[in-house]
Amino acid sequence: VKAFTLAFDSSRSFNKLRNVFSLSTTPVKAATTAVIDAAYLLNEREESKASVKALTGLDDDAIDWMEQKAVELSTTMDESGLRIRQSASQIMEAYMMVGSNKPELLESKEALNAVTVETMRLATASGMSLIKSVDATTTALNQYGASADDAARYVNVLAAGSKFGAANVEQQSAAILKAGTIAAS
């Protein structure tokens, strides 16, 4: 019994020591994880910047401006109270997708930003993926020859059509792609 009690006390002491050690290393683990995560996000954003620069041909100042806009968008709410849910890296990739689908926007960082913001608003409001939102918005703009200034109006029409009509945004986009040329003329 005495040996059992001694072993039990030793076990309890060991468990207490282990818990103290575990508690003292938890902040270190958390800090290390936070640093690794931050480095990963920074690297991801740098890769996105390089890709946007390669696609657009914009200078470093324009790319830095777009990155700053992406950071702002990822952390704030827009004027209408809509919260953009994409990270800065995802927003940089959205710039690339919008620019690829509507190349004339590559001439102006402001125009590219404006259309990208509208595609993200559509994605958030409709619950669709950013890729599908980019496709829907740029398809409508391209089919009707609309400019970046018209992006908000087109996004609002697509969203309202989805809300009050029988077709969701993706279905509307497919219809616009098939019949848009005829309808535009």
Side-chain angles (χ1 to χ4, degrees):
V1 173
K2 189 173 185 180
F4 177 75
T5 305
L6 183 61
F8 183 71
D9 286 343
S10 296
S11 175
R12 282 186 16 192
S13 296
F14 177 76
N15 285 337
K16 285 181 183 178
L17 181 62
R18 186 184 66 189
N19 289 341
V20 167
F21 180 73
S22 177
L23 288 174
S24 67
T25 60
T26 299
V28 173
K29 287 179 187 176
T32 303
T33 301
V35 168
I36 290 169
D37 289 348
Y40 174 77
L41 290 174
L42 183 62
N43 187 41
E44 186 179 70
R45 204 159 76 207
E46 287 299 318
E47 288 176 10
S48 295
K49 277 177 55 176
S51 297
V52 171
K53 183 175 180 172
L55 172 75
T56 63
L58 294 171
D59 62 16
D60 288 335
D61 290 339
I63 298 298
D64 289 341
W65 180 87
M66 292 170 70
E67 179 188 27
Q68 183 59 39
K69 288 292 183 187
V71 169
E72 288 172 19
L73 287 167
S74 70
T75 59
T76 59
M77 196 174 292
D78 76 356
E79 308 84 42
S80 67
L82 193 63
R83 170 82 165 90
I84 303 296
R85 303 222 181 274
Q86 284 80 19
S87 69
S89 296
Q90 291 169 322
I91 294 169
M92 293 297 288
E93 290 174 19
Y95 286 138
M96 256 187 351
M97 290 185 290
V98 170
S100 292
N101 288 3
K102 194 151 178 63
E104 61 271 19
L105 296 175
L106 298 176
E107 298 170 12
S108 167
K109 65 184 181 194
E110 291 86 1
L112 181 59
N113 182 64
V115 173
T116 303
V117 167
E118 293 304 324
T119 62
M120 289 185 296
R121 288 183 67 233
L122 181 61
T124 301
S126 67
M128 59 194 295
S129 73
L130 185 56
I131 293 171
K132 290 179 181 179
S133 176
V134 167
D135 287 341
T137 305
T138 56
T139 295
L141 293 173
N142 287 335
Q143 287 291 18
Y144 294 106
S147 69
D149 296 334
D150 297 320
R153 187 170 55 102
Y154 276 74
V155 163
N156 286 336
V157 168
L158 288 168
S162 177
K163 182 177 180 180
F164 298 111
N168 65 29
V169 175
E170 293 174 56
Q171 293 165 331
Q172 292 176 60
S173 179
I176 290 169
L177 185 60
K178 290 179 182 172
T181 305
I182 295 168
S185 63

